[in-house]
Amino acid sequence: MKNTKKKVKWTSGKNKVVKVSQKGVVTARKKGSTTVTAKVSGRKYTCRVTVKDAKLSTYRLSLRAGGSKKLKLTNSKGKVKWSSTDRSVVKVSQTGVVAAVKPGTAAVKAKVAASTYQCKVTVKEDGNSTVPGETGTPTGTPGETGTPTGTPGGTGTPTGTPGETGTPTGTPGETGTPTGTPGETGTPTGTPGETGTPTEIPETPAAPPDAEAVTLDFYTAGGGDFICGISQTEVQFALDADTINVKVQILDALDEVVYEQEIPTCRRGETYKVQWDGKKPDGSYVGDTSCYVKIIAGEKESKSDYLTAMSVSDFEGGNGSQANPYQVVTLDHLRKVGQHNKCYFIQTADIDAGYENFTAMFRSDNPFVGTYDGNGKKISNLLIRNTSDGKGTAVFYSVGQDGVLKNMVLSNCTSNLYIEQNVDGYGACLAVENSGNIQKCELENCQVIVNGLGSAGVYGGMVSMKQTVSGVAADCIIRDCAITAKDSVGRVGGISAINEGKIINCTVERLNGTSIGSDQYQFGGIMRARIGGIAAENVSGASIISVKVNGSKLKTQGRGREAGGIAAVNDGSIMGWGWNSSDGELIGDTTGDCCAVNNGLTNP
């Protein structure tokens, strides 16, 4: 829990699935889903936790007596306890090495946390044993030759009185054909004396070769969100081995199979696709749930990440894809944009917020990377308030590198931030931090107010608080707006307080801006107040290109005051600028039509 020093009580909805310590450490114990709850000061905060299943390297094993094989348990970080159901048949070490002792069947178990995984092991005779019917080594004393079966080693000498000549009488001493007793020649061990035609035991038909997915993606075909009846999904996968009879299953959040398709043959490395429209076998749609894909190839299984299915759209129409963007018509629709950070949106009607409060959408760890097209429609009378951590206000808190805001029009909107903690505060109308592209947006009769406690810094811009290195603000217009920032350090810009990226072809008309810093010395330096018609600070490597500031009053209060028609401080480049000094006013200790302090490059 962030931003609190009070005691937090942690609980798990299902201890068999996950347990949670009173320090907030969540431990996965068994496959399933549950909720971890943090309770502090009478309020509850929840986190949905899904535990994926671990996997044995194989669930069926055949060994010869005396042989061994190592098993592995993947998708698990816990300590594994290995055991055998019959140690006289199979033994297993605590590193998973299975040793076959004698013929028979036993199970090797791997236990981790609250889950147990089992491999069936069949032990056969060792390779030197002889099975009836096999071609084989003679079963007499190994190495003996087929000597007649009279007195061992005797020759066929007559059995009369010693010394008589005689014909052999067929009694002991006769020359003889081996009779399959010890000493016979190496005849196969079928019926004694028979020629050894093998009588092999028929083998069980081979199981399909095991294979795992080297790629497995589950997504909405054509992009956007998966809405039953509007969108359809696509499964795309490739396996690491040739195999047959591959099952592609789609399961819901309760692990119930809602769709299944079998692919007769799959080749190693080849990509296969399966599409699904969200219908179950009975023809009904799955509704609001989360689904995932399971690929079963032989004894191995591969699973995808979850994909959310919705029964109805959160918006007037569309599914959030580029070809079919979500249609934003109401304030409720605008709020729900915050639940779809990778989608496309188009505003199809003016929205009058009626002075209702609005909290910034998207955070730095989950920025907006979709596209919002305002379509020239207005958003008016919106009150943008502190975010949950109390640090920033804007319609979009964070716009990522792939994020786009365009053709938005804000009218008579207020972004009001009051910092109740001793931290920096950030205020803007469109974005606190922009790493993407803000283009052709207009603000009219809007205001940004950022107030601090007097011991931190506040930063305010009409379009964004900060343009990051990859951020671009282009073709934006600010008209009849006001901005104020007050704290130990004040930074105010007509477009952005801090520019690390690019500001191109923007116009600021009749801006009333105030930056108020402390009169005190702190940390060995002066707490400066800075204001610029476009940016308070244009940092090294940043660019401001083809901009104009007309009819604006920019003033600073406190020590170390710097006011510039374009930028208070320039360490980057400003190429092509205009400041109308005849109808504008700069108030500060140091002022300049372009820059109050210039350490970079400027070109009128």
Side-chain angles (χ1 to χ4, degrees):
M1 286 294 296
K2 296 182 178 180
N3 303 318
T4 182
K5 295 182 179 180
K6 295 183 179 180
K7 184 177 180 180
V8 181
K9 182 180 180 181
W10 296 90
T11 56
S12 170
K14 295 179 182 177
N15 283 317
K16 289 183 179 180
V17 177
V18 299
K19 63 179 181 180
V20 58
S21 74
Q22 289 310 303
K23 292 184 178 180
V25 178
V26 176
T27 302
R29 307 191 70 218
K30 189 175 183 179
K31 178 185 175 183
S33 296
T34 189
T35 298
V36 168
T37 301
K39 186 175 181 181
V40 57
S41 299
R43 297 186 65 183
K44 293 182 179 180
Y45 304 84
T46 60
C47 173
R48 188 69 175 169
V49 182
T50 299
V51 180
K52 296 183 178 181
D53 211 358
K55 299 178 183 178
L56 275 174
S57 52
T58 183
Y59 293 88
R60 188 171 56 192
L61 186 61
S62 179
L63 294 171
R64 294 281 187 180
S68 64
K69 179 76 173 181
K70 184 170 183 177
L71 295 178
K72 293 182 180 179
L73 186 68
T74 58
N75 291 346
S76 173
K77 295 184 178 180
K79 183 178 180 181
V80 182
K81 182 179 179 181
W82 297 90
S83 63
S84 169
T85 57
D86 190 343
R87 290 177 56 82
S88 68
V89 175
V90 171
K91 292 182 180 180
V92 60
S93 73
Q94 289 309 302
T95 58
V97 178
V98 177
V101 180
K102 69 176 185 180
T105 301
V108 168
K109 296 182 178 181
K111 184 176 182 181
V112 58
S115 298
T116 301
Y117 305 86
Q118 183 169 297
C119 176
K120 182 180 179 181
V121 183
T122 301
V123 180
K124 301 178 181 179
E125 293 280 0
D126 65 37
N128 293 323
S129 300
T130 308
V131 180
E134 293 180 339
T135 57
T137 306
T139 58
T141 305
E144 290 185 340
T145 58
T147 307
T149 59
T151 304
T155 59
T157 307
T159 59
T161 304
E164 293 182 337
T165 60
T167 304
T169 61
T171 55
E174 62 188 344
T175 58
T177 304
T179 60
T181 54
E184 64 187 343
T185 57
T187 307
T189 58
T191 306
E194 293 182 340
T195 56
T197 303
T199 58
E200 296 180 355
I201 300 173
E203 293 185 359
T204 303
D210 297 341
E212 283 187 311
V214 290
T215 61
L216 176 53
D217 297 306
F218 184 35
Y219 53 87
T220 306
D225 290 327
F226 175 40
I227 305 172
C228 295
I230 297 178
S231 316
Q232 67 177 7
T233 65
E234 192 163 84
V235 180
Q236 182 171 295
F237 69 95
L239 302 178
D240 63 0
D242 294 345
T243 189
I244 59 174
N245 303 332
V246 176
K247 289 183 179 179
V248 180
Q249 295 181 339
I250 298 177
L251 300 91
D252 62 15
L254 299 176
D255 295 327
E256 294 182 359
V257 177
V258 294
Y259 179 80
E260 181 174 293
Q261 179 176 327
E262 186 169 294
I263 301 177
T265 303
C266 287
R267 297 295 183 187
R268 177 177 178 268
E270 188 170 336
T271 298
Y272 296 87
K273 293 182 179 181
V274 172
Q275 289 190 332
W276 177 57
D277 60 3
K279 288 184 179 179
K280 298 187 289 186
D282 63 3
S284 64
Y285 287 110
V286 293
D288 296 317
T289 186
S290 293
C291 299
Y292 67 96
V293 175
K294 181 190 291 185
I295 305 292
I296 304 174
E299 292 293 325
K300 291 188 176 180
E301 296 182 355
S302 304
K303 296 180 182 179
S304 74
D305 291 332
Y306 282 87
L307 178 67
T308 299
M310 297 182 290
S311 57
V312 295
S313 171
D314 285 338
F315 301 90
E316 189 72 12
N319 75 334
S321 63
Q322 186 172 9
N324 191 16
Y326 279 131
Q327 297 172 25
V328 178
V329 176
T330 67
L331 180 60
D332 187 49
H333 290 159
L334 183 63
R335 288 192 171 105
K336 287 182 177 178
V337 169
Q339 301 172 22
H340 308 266
N341 74 326
K342 298 180 181 179
C343 292
Y344 289 80
F345 303 87
I346 185 166
Q347 188 174 325
T348 57
D350 292 339
I351 298 173
D352 186 342
Y355 301 100
E356 288 192 32
N357 289 339
F358 187 91
T359 302
M361 303 179 292
F362 305 106
R363 308 310 300 271
S364 299
D365 58 354
N366 181 40
F368 178 65
V369 291
T371 295
Y372 189 98
D373 183 354
N375 197 30
K377 305 298 183 181
K378 288 185 179 182
I379 300 173
S380 58
N381 305 318
L382 188 67
L383 299 182
I384 310 167
R385 299 298 188 186
N386 290 27
T387 52
S388 57
D389 65 2
K391 291 184 63 176
T393 56
V395 175
F396 293 80
Y397 189 99
S398 181
V399 177
Q401 289 190 26
D402 296 324
V404 177
L405 307 181
K406 63 181 182 179
N407 305 317
M408 295 182 67
V409 179
L410 269 60
S411 176
N412 197 34
C413 296
T414 299
S415 177
N416 193 341
L417 174 68
Y418 180 76
I419 302 297
E420 297 179 350
Q421 306 174 56
N422 187 11
V423 295
D424 290 344
Y426 315 119
C429 280
L430 289 179
V432 169
E433 54 187 24
N434 174 39
S435 299
N437 197 318
I438 300 177
Q439 54 185 266
K440 296 183 179 179
C441 293
E442 296 184 24
L443 277 64
E444 57 182 21
N445 295 310
C446 294
Q447 62 178 334
V448 174
I449 303 169
V450 189
N451 286 319
L453 286 174
S455 56
V458 291
Y459 303 78
M462 294 306 304
V463 171
S464 64
M465 181 283 296
K466 180 170 74 172
Q467 297 276 118
T468 69
V469 173
S470 60
V472 177
D475 302 302
C476 295
I477 298 174
I478 309 300
R479 186 181 297 112
D480 298 312
C481 293
I483 183 169
T484 301
K486 179 181 180 181
D487 208 334
S488 293
V489 176
R491 299 287 186 267
V492 170
I495 298 293
S496 183
I498 308 295
N499 180 42
E500 298 174 351
K502 293 181 174 64
I503 298 176
I504 304 171
N505 198 34
C506 292
T507 300
V508 176
E509 296 181 352
R510 298 179 297 279
L511 174 67
N512 185 1
T514 304
S515 178
I516 303 173
S518 173
D519 286 332
Q520 306 297 318
Y521 287 87
Q522 191 170 353
F523 307 121
I526 299 174
M527 301 294 101
R528 295 183 180 275
R530 290 174 176 169
I531 190 168
I534 299 295
E537 297 177 2
N538 189 48
V539 306
S540 177
S543 300
I544 297 176
I545 303 168
S546 300
V547 295
K548 295 179 181 179
V549 181
N550 299 318
S552 298
K553 183 176 182 180
L554 310 177
K555 61 181 178 180
T556 58
Q557 296 179 19
R559 292 179 180 271
R561 304 175 300 163
E562 297 156 346
I566 306 301
V569 176
N570 174 46
D571 291 315
S573 64
I574 301 176
M575 310 297 290
W577 59 274
W579 159 261
N580 193 336
S581 59
S582 64
D583 61 358
E585 184 178 7
L586 298 173
I587 299 175
D589 295 330
T590 305
T591 63
D593 287 354
C594 180
C595 314
V597 177
N598 182 30
N599 301 311
L601 177 65
T602 61
N603 185 9

